[in-house]
């Protein structure tokens, strides 16, 4: 986490079967606790994430009594919220939220009536919503619950493994904790292996052998054909059906997929490939050197929605014959006035008109230490100033001017 605490998840063999386990280690590697989940069958944790409400773990289980055991043990000491408490198929995925002491506070099976998996989890840091991906058996009459308005609510064709994305509110219990559920399926096998959250969107990464016409590939994709290719989907799970998909692409072929990470406007995918030809641009290693090489792919997939400005905040009055003083922060002009679907993003203004006979405008980008005249600006030659802690504007009135200036600044 942000403080350097390390959380790990996996499985531990107890001599009879595998149990899912979660551990916490301090900043120098000392174990603080380990929690082994009490299943009677084969259980393993496959993904972990840290969020504002605790530690989130996903995995796979064949234990029909995994969740009932947790509820019976922990509800004595701490209340545990739960979603689905009955194993639906021969194997289901599971999601659990643990508190800082390693105690389970929410738990649910997830999947349908077939053999299902959970392969990754990501958290919205503002709401704590948990986004889970994995595979379910579908297309042959198996059951799997989707939510109204989801991106894809059904699967046709023969029985096969297809992907899914689910969102959970782990502060709720019962069916109400499932807030979004969609298939991610084409005409063949599609398997998500990782998920991330960034720019208020869900990023799903995996392996696909479907055709673009049958999968969630957009017109601006980097690659529209697939042969065991990576796929990346950018989803806004708003319940708008097909419009929930904001970007979808294939990449490369004959690959093995792994994890995903996001930073700023970029998404990074890792995997491996047994043949060359997957690199592009100026990269660290353009050619394959071994039988199978690791592959790192960086993509900038986010749509750039134009921000909206609803008005401006009136700057403070300036005294007659003053020299401008420290002026005011650029950020104070637009405080509370900007809406941006891509938030959080850097904000600022582009000054397109600053000419007035009543005085001159000056700007500073170092907190007022030095100033420069704004000068002549236009729509095609604007002055860009960031809305940060250093960028300031000041107005120096003409000699003996007193009054109100209208339309003194356009941005």
């Amino acid at each position: 986490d942000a403080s350097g605490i390390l959380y790990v998840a996996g499985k531990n063999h107890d001599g009879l079967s595998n149990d899912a386990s979660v551990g916490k280690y301090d900043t120098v590697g000392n174990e603080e606790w380990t929690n082994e989940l009490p299943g009677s069958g084969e259980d393993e944790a496959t993904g972990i994430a840290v969020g504002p409400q605790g530690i989130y773990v996903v995995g796979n289980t064949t234990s029909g009594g995994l969740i009932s055991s947790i509820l019976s043990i922990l509800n004595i000491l701490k209340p545990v919220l739960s979603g689905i408490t009955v194993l639906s198929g021969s194997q289901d995925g599971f999601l659990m939220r643990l508190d800082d002491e390693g105690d389970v506070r929410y738990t649910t099976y997830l999947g349908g009536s077939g053999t299902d998996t959970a392969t990754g989890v990501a958290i919205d840091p503002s709401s704590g919503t948990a986004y889970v991906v994995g595979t379910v058996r579908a297309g042959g009459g198996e059951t799997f619950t989707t939510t109204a308005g989801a991106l894809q609510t059904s699967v046709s064709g023969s029985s096969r493994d297809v992907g899914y994305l689910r969102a959970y509110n782990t502060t709720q219990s019962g069916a109400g904790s499932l807030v979004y559920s969609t298939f991610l399926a084409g005409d063949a096998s599609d398997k998500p292996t990782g998920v991330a959250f960034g720019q208020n969107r869900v990023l799903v990464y995996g392996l696909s052998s479907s055709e673009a016409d049958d999968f969630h590939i957009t017109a601006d994709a980097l690659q529209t054909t697939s042969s065991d290719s990576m796929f990346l989907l950018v989803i806004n799970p708003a319940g708008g059906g097909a419009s929930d998909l904001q970007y979808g692409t294939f990449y490369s072929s004959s690959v093995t997929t792994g994890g995903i990470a996001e930073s700023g406007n970029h998404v990074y995918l890792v995997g491996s490939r047994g043949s060359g030809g997957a690199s592009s641009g100026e990269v660290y290693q353009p050619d394959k050197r071994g039988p199978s090489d690791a592959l790192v792919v960086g993509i900038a997939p986010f749509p750039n929605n134009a921000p909206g400005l609803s008005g401006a905040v009136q700057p403070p009055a300036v005294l007659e014959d003053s020299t401008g003083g420290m002026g005011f922060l650029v950020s104070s002009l637009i405080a509370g006035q900007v809406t941006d679907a891509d938030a959080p993003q850097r904000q600022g203004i582009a000054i397109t008109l600053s000419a007035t006979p009543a005085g001159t405008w000056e700007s500073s980008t170092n907190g007022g230490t030095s100033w420069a005249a704004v000068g002549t600006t236009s729509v095609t030659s604007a002055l860009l100033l960031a809305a940060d802690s250093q960028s300031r504007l000041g107005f120096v009135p003409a000699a003996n001017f007193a009054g109100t200036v209208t339309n003194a600044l356009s941005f």
Side-chain angles (χ1 to χ4, degrees), residues 158-172:
S158 59
S159 179
R160 61 194 186 280
D161 291 327
V162 300
Y164 69 83
L165 166 68
R166 278 188 162 182
Y168 286 89
N169 178 353
T170 63
T171 66
Q172 300 295 313

Side-chain angles (χ1 to χ4, degrees), residues 374-411:
V374 170
T376 302
T377 58
S378 66
V379 173
T380 57
S381 182
L383 174 65
L384 306 180
L385 293 173
D388 57 20
S389 62
Q390 296 297 309
S391 300
R392 307 184 74 89
L393 278 169
F395 184 73
V396 182
N400 300 318
F401 175 79
T404 300
V405 182
T406 59
N407 300 322
L409 190 70
S410 297
F411 58 89

